[in-house]
Amino acid sequence: MRAGRALAAALLALAAVLGCTRAEPPPEDPEVIRFASYDFPENQILVEVYAEAARRRGLPVSVQHGIGTREVVSPALQQGVVDVVVDYLGTALSFARPRFPRPPEEPGQMHAVLSRTMGGRGVDVLTPAAAEDQNGFVVTAGFAAEHGVSRLSDLVPLAGALTFGGPPECPDRPFCLLGLEQVYGLRFGAVTSMPSRAATLEALLSGQVQVGMLETTDARLATAPLVLLVDDRGLQPRENVVPMVRAEVLDRWGAPLREALDDASARLTTEDLVGLNRAVEFDGRTPAEAAQAWWDAE
């Protein structure tokens, strides 16, 4: 618990100085591999999946959940505050190279560019999984039927009278509201910040918002009366799950760590990811419990 509090305090300090100066990481414990997740449930599940792979190789692991958004976690990885982050290929590349003139679209090429970029920052990008999760934009089935919408472009003439609900960082993300405006010309009449994906669903069903952002692997899409709108202009990039590890840590722990993380990626499918989300959202398991059960089912 003490290590968790120390890491959380270090990350808060890092967040406060981003853009101003380089944060000095706390003293490292070289005997522990520090995994960290973003501030949404699926990423916590994924981090537990990869951390469990390392545990099962006999490696010492600590996990810190809900550290924050990419603006906090990515610098923390590069500056040695954490050691392993599980990311999504297209978003990670966009964040690492925001002004890349012609980003590749094929996952292998995306991985090569991301590897070169992050390698220069002391981070190794390992082999991506087949599992993939993109930003998805949804409406209720009733709304879709009433207005005849099935594609994102169908919202263009309606958007000015609609309220959009999504995570707090969505307005500044190239694959969320920013991208919807640039690629589709979508300008919603109002935008409501949602504290969680569950809150987004509730707001959709209650009519508080008419369009919401949910990940395409969200288990609620199979059970709630929602329609996932087709991204007919190709806003979303390929978003294969990909682990990123500090090069110093990978050098220290060598083949056992690399093989553990590669084994997780080789096994993980999109269907698995939906099932893991379901185990947490519907069955009440913790991310760690869901990850352990997934590995036990191998």
Side-chain angles (χ1 to χ4, degrees):
M1 182 68 75
R2 184 181 307 161
R5 287 197 297 268
L7 178 55
L11 287 163
L12 286 174
L14 176 60
V17 299
L18 283 177
C20 301
T21 183
R22 177 180 174 85
E24 290 298 327
E28 294 182 36
D29 180 356
E31 300 305 320
V32 176
I33 304 165
R34 300 164 298 174
F35 286 70
S37 74
Y38 294 121
D39 56 350
F40 59 97
E42 180 182 274
N43 197 253
Q44 296 175 20
I45 296 167
L46 283 169
V47 164
E48 289 288 359
V49 165
Y50 283 86
E52 183 65 13
R55 290 189 194 100
R56 293 185 181 217
R57 292 284 183 131
L59 299 172
V61 166
S62 69
V63 178
Q64 183 74 14
H65 281 313
I67 297 302
T69 63
R70 194 165 273 100
E71 286 82 358
V72 173
V73 178
S74 183
L77 178 65
Q78 295 174 46
Q79 296 184 17
V81 180
V82 301
D83 300 321
V84 183
V85 170
V86 182
D87 218 320
Y88 304 86
L89 192 56
T91 299
L93 177 56
S94 175
F95 189 83
R97 299 285 298 272
R99 295 178 178 83
F100 199 64
R102 292 179 60 87
E105 298 180 1
E106 192 274 322
Q109 296 174 347
M110 295 168 70
H111 179 262
V113 174
L114 182 61
S115 295
R116 290 196 299 270
T117 302
M118 297 305 294
R121 303 173 188 178
V123 175
D124 285 347
V125 182
L126 302 190
T127 303
E132 187 171 5
D133 179 18
Q134 297 170 317
N135 287 346
F137 301 97
V138 302
V139 298
T140 65
F143 180 93
E146 178 181 355
H147 297 280
V149 300
S150 61
R151 306 171 302 171
L152 278 169
S153 59
D154 294 334
L155 294 178
V156 173
L158 306 171
L162 304 180
T163 299
F164 176 91
E169 65 272 16
C170 188
D172 301 318
R173 290 288 195 260
F175 306 127
C176 202
L177 274 179
L178 191 61
L180 289 176
E181 181 174 338
Q182 293 173 344
V183 174
Y184 287 92
L186 285 171
R187 294 173 177 83
F188 293 99
V191 174
T192 300
S193 178
M194 294 285 115
S196 68
R197 306 307 189 260
T200 301
L201 174 62
E202 292 174 6
L204 281 162
L205 297 179
S206 68
Q208 179 185 350
V209 304
Q210 290 75 52
V211 184
M213 196 215 88
L214 294 176
E215 284 79 16
T216 55
T217 54
D218 195 310
R220 287 171 281 251
L221 293 176
T223 59
L226 300 175
V227 173
L228 177 65
L229 299 176
V230 175
D231 179 18
D232 52 311
R233 296 182 186 171
L235 168 61
Q236 302 303 321
R238 299 297 300 273
E239 293 283 22
N240 299 79
V241 171
V242 61
M244 301 200 294
V245 188
R246 283 206 306 130
E248 290 181 8
V249 171
L250 200 56
D251 288 344
R252 172 177 172 76
W253 295 99
L257 178 57
R258 180 183 290 275
E259 290 171 1
L261 302 182
D262 282 348
D263 284 349
S265 291
R267 183 182 169 201
L268 188 66
T269 67
T270 300
E271 183 180 2
D272 290 335
L273 191 48
V274 173
L276 285 160
N277 285 330
R278 184 183 301 112
V280 172
E281 294 291 342
F282 295 162
D283 301 339
R285 292 182 175 179
T286 67
E289 289 169 346
Q292 290 165 13
W294 181 78
W295 277 107
D296 287 342
E298 183 177 15

